[in-house]
Amino acid sequence: MSEMRQILELWKRAQAAGDAVCLATVVGIEGSAYRRPGARMVLTSAGLRAGTVSGGCLEGEIAKKAWWLTEQGASVQRYSSFFDDELAAGGEMPYGLGCGGTVVVLLERGEAARETLEALRRSVEDRTASVVVMDLGARTAGTVLILEELGTGGYQRKGGADARAEALAAEALRGRSSRTVESEGAEFYVEYLAPPPALFVFGAGDDAQPLVEFATGLDWHVTVADGRSQLARSDRFPEAARVMGMREALEAVCAADAAVVMTHSYEQDGEALRGLLPLGMRYLGVLGPSRRTERLVTEIAGEIGLMVEECLAQLHSPVGLDLGGHSPAAIALSIAAELQAVLAGRGAKKLSVAKLIHV
């Protein structure tokens, strides 16, 4: 289960049990850090927790003090990840991780935590986009507004009617991005909660199972499709959001989605590509040798009104990164890695070359 689903699952259990919840959200970093703004951890009054806000060094400290730090309301705390014998410029207590940076965390409970967690749930389960606006001021800290995108193109506001916050949220929804903003002497973290990427896996063979596991672990919304009813079964893909037939899936997929064609059936691969290539998808990968894919495309290009070259330019074929290994799990890992890189707009460089820490 992905981290976000673990957080939501614990929150639902706490609600059912009547336990109080405290939500910790990374709202800023200075220097290097393992987690980025938007990382979360949920704590319950029963002593349980889910999620992480660091590489493991801050969670215990936050869990120990979060409840009394939020007795009077939301609180913004700064935690240094310098070595124990160093001191950050702002004088924060170091916690020995050695990243050489500072993590800024918003702690809140009550209605603000509940509304934020509900927005996260709707993002993951209902694929609804929203923006959370958090005030980072020492005396005014806390979530001030949640603006949810409606299917009609409008917005639904949760929280106060602060015109400044609403303008920031609307801008973030239009730009589909998060950022820290200074406005009229105040500082806000404006977080865009994007619906998880939708991945359609065309093919329900045994080698599709580890790919679905990787994808759901990354919080993607996964649909498995196959024309063979003995393979397209929910019990074979319990992590998938949906398991359906080939034609049904081709009616549901859209250009903004990602798809991997891996039926191991020449006929079914052709059927899938006939429906997918005209969409101009965000990502379209095909399992198998390039020669096989080129033959398929050559046969169907004329039928769908595209040039062969146009079709081939859309495809990631053979699908995946060259990571080595030929087992189903290794192949699934290579596909998931390429998908992650493409969807994130990255070139899949080694971090030692990119000189980044999980940015």
Side-chain angles (χ1 to χ4, degrees):
M1 188 185 297
S2 70
E3 180 182 69
M4 186 53 65
R5 292 186 184 277
Q6 290 174 6
I7 288 173
L8 294 174
E9 178 63 25
L10 179 56
W11 171 54
K12 292 175 184 177
R13 285 164 47 199
Q15 283 188 306
D19 295 335
V21 163
C22 184
L23 182 64
T25 304
V26 176
V27 292
I29 60 168
E30 297 167 9
S32 299
Y34 275 93
R35 300 305 307 269
R36 316 307 295 174
R40 286 184 167 85
M41 176 174 69
V42 67
L43 310 167
T44 75
S45 55
L48 302 176
R49 74 186 193 210
T52 61
V53 294
S54 75
C57 61
L58 301 181
E59 283 72 13
E61 175 70 14
I62 291 173
K64 183 169 61 176
K65 297 181 179 178
W67 296 100
W68 69 262
L69 285 170
T70 55
E71 281 183 351
Q72 304 302 317
S75 175
V76 174
Q77 298 293 312
R78 297 168 62 87
Y79 299 93
S80 167
S81 60
F82 283 71
F83 288 105
D84 290 335
D85 58 354
E86 297 178 329
L87 190 63
E92 300 90 358
M93 181 64 69
Y95 287 92
L97 182 60
C99 290
T102 296
V103 181
V104 185
V105 179
L106 172 66
L107 303 172
E108 53 188 348
R109 47 175 156 144
E111 185 64 12
R114 191 197 72 77
E115 289 285 8
T116 299
L117 286 162
E118 174 61 19
L120 289 166
R121 184 201 67 76
R122 287 183 56 75
S123 171
V124 171
E125 297 180 4
D126 302 337
R127 308 197 69 240
T128 300
S130 58
V131 170
V132 182
V133 181
M134 291 161 270
D135 190 328
L136 307 186
R139 297 183 179 180
T140 55
T143 297
V144 296
L145 178 70
I146 297 176
L147 202 63
E148 183 178 288
E149 192 172 52
L150 301 178
T152 57
Y155 306 129
Q156 175 174 292
R157 183 200 302 120
K158 298 180 180 179
D162 185 316
R164 175 177 53 180
E166 189 162 346
L168 292 173
E171 182 183 355
L173 271 177
R174 288 192 298 269
R176 305 194 179 282
S177 61
S178 305
R179 64 189 181 114
T180 300
V181 180
E182 292 186 9
S183 175
E184 300 176 19
E187 185 177 11
F188 299 92
Y189 177 54
V190 184
E191 182 183 8
Y192 173 65
L193 300 179
L199 171 64
F200 283 75
V201 179
F202 288 89
D206 292 348
D207 57 349
Q209 291 173 317
L211 176 58
V212 172
E213 291 172 6
F214 280 127
T216 53
L218 290 166
D219 268 332
W220 299 342
H221 185 274
V222 182
T223 298
V224 178
D226 202 302
R228 297 160 292 195
S229 58
Q230 73 274 19
L231 295 178
R233 303 196 322 263
S234 296
D235 62 306
R236 284 174 46 78
F237 298 93
E239 302 91 349
R242 301 178 295 185
V243 180
M244 57 181 62
M246 179 75 72
R247 293 183 181 178
E248 185 182 2
L250 288 173
E251 292 175 359
V253 70
C254 69
D257 300 332
V260 177
V261 178
M262 51 187 306
T263 70
H264 296 282
S265 160
Y266 193 82
E267 181 180 346
Q268 281 207 88
D269 281 2
E271 181 184 355
L273 289 174
R274 283 185 183 89
L276 299 173
L277 281 167
L279 298 177
M281 298 187 68
R282 187 178 182 187
Y283 176 98
L284 179 53
V286 183
L287 186 70
S290 297
R291 183 178 299 178
R292 177 181 183 272
T293 301
E294 289 170 6
R295 178 182 171 187
L296 264 172
V297 168
T298 300
E299 291 177 4
I300 68 175
E303 301 175 25
I304 58 178
L306 295 173
M307 301 290 291
V308 172
E309 293 74 15
E310 291 179 272
C311 295
L312 293 175
Q314 292 188 46
L315 299 179
H316 294 265
S317 174
V319 67
L321 300 180
D322 182 11
L323 302 180
H326 302 285
S327 68
I331 293 170
L333 176 61
S334 77
I335 296 172
E338 183 179 61
L339 266 163
Q340 175 65 32
V342 171
L343 297 183
R346 296 300 179 91
K349 296 179 183 177
K350 292 165 56 177
L351 287 177
S352 59
V353 175
K355 300 188 184 301
L356 300 172
I357 301 181
H358 304 297
V359 177

